[in-house]
Amino acid sequence: MNLNPAAVNAVPKSGTTMSQMQNVERQLRGMILGLEIGPGERLTERWIESRFGASRTPVRAALLRLETEGLIARDGRGWTVAPINLAELGQIAVYREAVEVAAVRLTASLEDRSGIEVIAAMLDSCDAGTPREEWHRVGLDFHIELARLSGNEFLLRGVRDAMTRLSRARWLEVRDTAALGRAWAEHHAILAAVRKGDAEKAARLLSAHIAGSRHRLVTSLHDDRRGLRARGFAVVAA
Amino acid sequence: MNLNPAAVNAVPKSGTTMSQMQNVERQLRGMILGLEIGPGERLTERWIESRFGASRTPVRAALLRLETEGLIARDGRGWTVAPINLAELGQIAVYREAVEVAAVRLTASLEDRSGIEVIAAMLDSCDAGTPREEWHRVGLDFHIELARLSGNEFLLRGVRDAMTRLSRARWLEVRDTAALGRAWAEHHAILAAVRKGDAEKAARLLSAHIAGSRHRLVTSLHDDRRGLRARGFAVVAA
DNA sequence: GATACCATTTTGGGATACCAAATCGGTATG
DNA sequence: CATACCGATTTGGTATCCCAAAATGGTATC
């Protein structure tokens, strides 16, 4: 029996029995993506064990899974929260462009493209009063849901993985309201092209959107890297 | 102490200290890819434990990693060697086309494209007397090494993952000598376009090569699926 | 003969004990 | 004061142990 006070597990979601591994994985992922644990920080299995009240067996399993997601990395013998790596962010952007463009081409060629209306509604749920956190989430989900419509499991997974790896960086990016609005408009333009079944135009718009997004992201982080390091975040230069 | 005779571990490769997890992962992957364990077969942690002479902790770690590679899947509470899934093979082909074409475009646009000569030499190491197993390996490595030249870690990983998932299916595919020769010629044609820096032509040739390859693969397995099932291999129809 | 039911075994999930290597402190030496 | 050395501590890797759920197999019932 684990006698650690923190061992008082959170009540599992009603109806779902969550294994300890899933619990640790989910919570740890949340802390990493939410920057509650900074990029570059060292992790020890024992700390996680006591923090979440699970034994090392599920902790290890969760670490192995998060490693394949790219959120944590091995540091010699130990574990480290993956640092923000500007060169890597650039490569991810190239990768996601390839995958997302392929997906949107498929989607725009579907007979039934009505699925995009759900995505349009999702975009429209954001307005001036929407909290920043929500804009962030919708911005990620737009790309993931668009890829899901393609029906290709592997393209979807590629996009999801890429967005997960980009998530923390986008959260650190300094974005003014104008930038948010521009992204929103570009998203809508892409949807419009898909709606018309114009695969080429959708591909072109998406490609430009991702390239611009990448440029702004890398530039912003590059300019801010001193400040980010001051906050304890490991930022590896491009 | 594990008293099973099989527990006599193989001597680790000279100079390298291989953890039990890596050991189990590598050997199990080899058995799965080599079809020594058939698609669809059930796996129990205890069997693997005694088979490789490791305890359950590294066995479970290895299973978790192989799961993310798509070589094994959860079957309710237990583990199963991933079946051959024709629909999935089709989707993987679409995915790899997107990723490989992006990679070859990058490679063809490089200043220094001399890396392709190593790949050409690799192709040329195969002749009429080369064993089938070697043709198989070179056919996979061609695509992986071509992607590696792009310099993009994520495109490379995408190609490697896709080839891993396709590996068993390609091994089962009935390919006559003519088909092997045709693939060899197509590979060389792609390299020639890359060598000239003609990204568009390389992309077009690669795209056609993958599409044709996919068609032959799925057709062959579809036609043989009775025979494959008779050999105990789970084949899920498209 | 088919089926519902119960005891037994097996299995994966988790907790813990142990170990060797790596790390960290502190001390003695130059 | 810098540094080399050594013992205590920490950490990941592994082996085992326990448990509850699920699978299995035999049996009694209809």
Side-chain angles (χ1 to χ4, degrees):
Chain A
M1 174 63 78
N2 194 326
L3 298 178
N4 192 301
V8 181
N9 298 348
V11 180
K13 265 192 165 180
S14 62
T16 62
T17 313
M18 184 104 53
S19 73
Q20 289 287 57
M21 187 208 86
Q22 294 171 316
N23 229 331
V24 173
E25 182 186 346
R26 206 170 44 83
Q27 294 193 57
L28 193 54
R29 185 192 292 114
M31 289 186 71
I32 294 173
L33 291 180
L35 294 170
E36 295 170 53
I37 315 178
E41 254 179 75
R42 276 228 173 73
L43 288 175
T44 68
E45 296 183 358
R46 258 94 177 181
W47 179 82
I48 301 169
E49 177 183 26
S50 69
R51 177 68 177 73
F52 298 111
S55 76
R56 286 179 61 206
T57 307
V59 166
R60 278 182 127 276
L63 285 171
L64 285 170
R65 310 204 94 217
L66 292 175
E67 185 190 12
T68 71
E69 280 186 55
L71 294 184
I72 63 177
R74 292 205 111 94
D75 172 42
R77 207 171 61 123
W79 303 94
T80 305
V81 177
I84 304 285
N85 184 325
L86 297 185
E88 186 183 276
L89 292 177
Q91 292 199 346
I92 291 175
V94 171
Y95 169 78
R96 68 176 275 225
E97 180 178 337
V99 176
E100 288 195 47
V101 166
V104 84
R105 278 208 169 95
L106 284 181
T107 303
S109 307
L110 289 176
E111 297 285 323
D112 174 17
R113 302 187 293 282
S114 60
I116 62 168
E117 304 310 337
V118 178
I119 300 180
M122 186 178 75
L123 287 181
D124 289 336
S125 73
C126 284
D127 57 29
T130 305
R132 208 164 197 78
E133 191 172 338
E134 184 70 2
W135 279 97
H136 184 249
R137 199 184 56 71
V138 169
L140 290 185
D141 280 352
F142 169 82
H143 293 275
I144 292 171
E145 294 307 318
L146 193 56
R148 187 194 308 281
L149 288 182
S150 75
N152 187 304
E153 195 70 35
F154 296 88
L155 293 175
L156 169 60
R157 185 177 314 175
V159 174
R160 202 196 294 119
D161 286 357
M163 298 316 280
T164 299
R165 286 168 191 262
L166 288 175
S167 172
R168 291 179 305 163
R170 302 184 100 206
W171 189 252
L172 292 174
E173 182 184 12
V174 181
R175 303 177 88 178
D176 50 36
T177 310
L180 290 175
R182 195 173 340 123
W184 186 90
E186 288 175 5
H187 287 170
H188 260 304
I190 292 164
L191 285 186
V194 173
R195 188 179 290 114
K196 285 191 306 179
D198 188 342
E200 284 316 306
K201 184 174 184 187
R204 202 167 353 102
L205 290 174
L206 179 55
S207 195
H209 172 67
I210 292 174
S213 166
R214 173 188 66 151
H215 180 259
R216 284 191 299 275
L217 178 63
V218 174
T219 302
S220 169
L221 294 185
H222 185 267
D223 291 347
D224 278 0
R225 65 189 193 283
R226 287 166 194 279
L228 292 170
R229 288 211 181 100
R231 287 166 66 186
F233 297 160
V235 179
V236 180
Chain B
M1 174 65 76
N2 194 324
L3 298 177
N4 191 299
V8 182
N9 298 348
V11 180
K13 264 193 167 181
S14 62
T16 62
T17 313
M18 187 102 55
S19 74
Q20 289 287 57
M21 188 208 87
Q22 293 171 317
N23 229 331
V24 172
E25 182 186 346
R26 205 171 43 82
Q27 295 193 56
L28 192 54
R29 184 192 292 111
M31 289 186 71
I32 294 173
L33 291 180
L35 295 168
E36 295 170 52
I37 316 177
E41 255 180 72
R42 275 230 173 71
L43 289 174
T44 68
E45 296 182 358
R46 258 98 174 178
W47 179 82
I48 302 168
E49 177 183 29
S50 68
R51 177 69 176 70
F52 298 111
S55 74
R56 284 180 63 210
T57 308
V59 166
R60 297 193 62 191
L63 286 170
L64 283 172
R65 309 206 59 160
L66 292 174
E67 184 190 13
T68 70
E69 280 186 56
L71 294 183
I72 63 177
R74 294 207 108 93
D75 173 41
R77 208 170 60 123
W79 304 94
T80 305
V81 177
I84 303 285
N85 184 324
L86 297 185
E88 185 183 276
L89 292 177
Q91 292 199 345
I92 291 175
V94 171
Y95 169 78
R96 70 177 272 227
E97 181 178 336
V99 176
E100 289 196 47
V101 166
V104 84
R105 279 208 168 95
L106 284 182
T107 304
S109 307
L110 289 176
E111 296 285 322
D112 173 18
R113 303 186 291 282
S114 60
I116 63 168
E117 304 312 335
V118 178
I119 300 179
M122 186 177 77
L123 287 180
D124 289 335
S125 73
C126 284
D127 57 30
T130 304
R132 209 167 198 75
E133 190 172 339
E134 183 69 1
W135 280 98
H136 184 249
R137 199 184 55 72
V138 169
L140 289 186
D141 280 351
F142 169 81
H143 293 275
I144 292 171
E145 295 306 319
L146 193 56
R148 188 194 307 281
L149 289 183
S150 75
N152 188 304
E153 195 70 34
F154 296 89
L155 293 174
L156 168 60
R157 185 179 314 176
V159 174
R160 201 196 295 121
D161 286 357
M163 297 317 280
T164 299
R165 286 169 192 260
L166 288 175
S167 173
R168 291 179 305 165
R170 302 185 98 204
W171 190 252
L172 293 174
E173 180 185 13
V174 181
R175 304 177 85 180
D176 51 36
T177 310
L180 289 177
R182 194 170 342 119
W184 185 89
E186 289 175 4
H187 285 170
H188 261 304
I190 292 163
L191 285 186
V194 173
R195 188 179 290 115
K196 286 190 304 176
D198 189 341
E200 283 316 305
K201 185 174 183 186
R204 202 169 350 103
L205 290 174
L206 179 56
S207 195
H209 171 67
I210 292 174
S213 167
R214 174 189 66 153
H215 179 258
R216 285 192 298 275
L217 178 64
V218 174
T219 302
S220 169
L221 293 185
H222 185 267
D223 292 347
D224 278 0
R225 64 189 193 283
R226 288 167 194 280
L228 292 171
R229 288 212 182 98
R231 289 166 66 187
F233 296 160
V235 180
V236 180

